[in-house]
Amino acid sequence: GRCVDAGSGWGVEFNAMDCLAGVRGGEAGIVVDAAKNWAAKKTRPGLTEFRSVLDWTFTTDYQGTYSVPESSEKQEGEVVQVNYDLLKRMDIPILYFSEVILFEDELDDNGTSKYSVRLRVMPGCFFILARFFLRVDRVIVRSFDTRLYHEFGSDIVVKETVKKELKLTEDTFESILGKTADEVQPLLDEISKTVTNLPLRRDAPSA
């Protein structure tokens, strides 16, 4: 999906090819719960350990593909935040909603790895939630969110990134079993959070 501001030319799109290109190279550093049983059987002579050149969990830091590169300059002044109070208001209608799954894999029945993008348009704003969600059963839950928020008429897009993770035990695994990615969010530990304001540079009106 693609979202473009006609006045400034700023735009963002989320596509599967760029998303998968962001998958980390090398080993995942995560093994399935059954691996401890396999390890005990690897004493037979002649067995060769297989090492993947790609993260088998498909973990990706992909935050979207932007038509205007994000500035590396340090922002001055107060950083505008996502207006969650506005987004939660039940009296404001949702004019448009769409959800796209860029990829999804069940990890050979060991959990799930999924990248989804949701777009919501309301009378005064739009909100995008792009989420990479990983669950390796009895091992780990991981959630990387990119949120883009824009109030119509303003000259910025608020970009918020949040990374969360939870190492699973038998008890915590049972507590999340059957829950959706949205439902497990309060149970995860926040690793990092950043908020930046992306400028929309509009041409000055001609005299």
Side-chain angles (χ1 to χ4, degrees):
R2 178 181 298 174
C3 181
V4 177
D5 178 69
S8 67
W10 180 92
V12 60
E13 70 170 299
F14 292 87
N15 67 77
M17 294 299 291
D18 288 347
C19 184
L20 289 169
V23 173
R24 301 170 178 178
E27 294 189 65
I30 298 172
V31 296
V32 298
D33 184 57
K36 57 181 177 288
N37 298 323
W38 303 339
K41 299 178 181 180
K42 284 167 45 177
T43 56
R44 285 166 37 194
L47 288 180
T48 301
E49 183 176 0
F50 173 77
R51 292 185 177 273
S52 174
V53 296
L54 191 67
D55 184 343
W56 67 274
T57 68
F58 300 102
T59 294
T60 175
D61 292 318
Y62 182 61
Q63 299 176 6
T65 304
Y66 297 84
S67 60
V68 179
E70 190 171 344
S71 174
S72 60
E73 296 180 6
K74 185 177 180 180
Q75 293 182 327
E76 298 181 356
E78 184 177 356
V79 177
V80 177
Q81 306 290 316
V82 176
N83 190 343
Y84 287 109
D85 290 336
L86 177 64
L87 295 174
K88 293 176 183 176
R89 286 180 55 176
M90 303 297 291
D91 59 320
I92 300 179
I94 296 175
L95 303 178
Y96 178 79
F97 175 84
S98 180
E99 181 173 12
V100 177
I101 309 299
L102 296 191
F103 71 77
E104 185 171 12
D105 190 89
E106 294 182 352
L107 306 177
D108 291 330
D109 292 329
N110 288 297
T112 186
S113 179
K114 177 180 178 179
Y115 198 104
S116 62
V117 184
R118 300 177 192 168
L119 167 65
R120 182 204 308 186
V121 180
M122 301 167 70
C125 66
F126 75 72
F127 178 69
I128 296 173
L129 170 60
R131 170 175 290 160
F132 167 75
F133 180 77
L134 171 71
R135 188 194 75 244
V136 180
D137 293 343
R138 296 180 175 83
V139 179
I140 195 170
V141 176
R142 178 179 284 165
S143 181
F144 294 171
D145 285 4
T146 299
R147 301 163 187 167
L148 298 172
Y149 173 79
H150 172 65
E151 293 186 2
F152 302 137
S154 74
D155 58 0
I156 61 166
V157 174
V158 181
K159 179 183 179 183
E160 178 182 283
T161 61
V162 180
K163 293 186 176 184
K164 294 183 176 182
E165 196 170 277
L166 178 67
K167 301 290 177 59
L168 295 177
T169 64
E170 191 63 38
D171 289 339
T172 54
F173 174 64
E174 294 298 328
S175 71
I176 68 155
L177 197 60
K179 287 185 169 62
T180 66
D182 290 333
E183 292 170 336
V184 303
Q185 293 300 310
L187 306 176
L188 307 183
D189 298 322
E190 187 174 295
I191 299 172
S192 65
K193 177 179 178 179
T194 62
V195 181
T196 55
N197 293 162
L198 310 179
L200 300 180
R201 295 181 175 86
R202 305 182 188 278
D203 295 333
S206 56

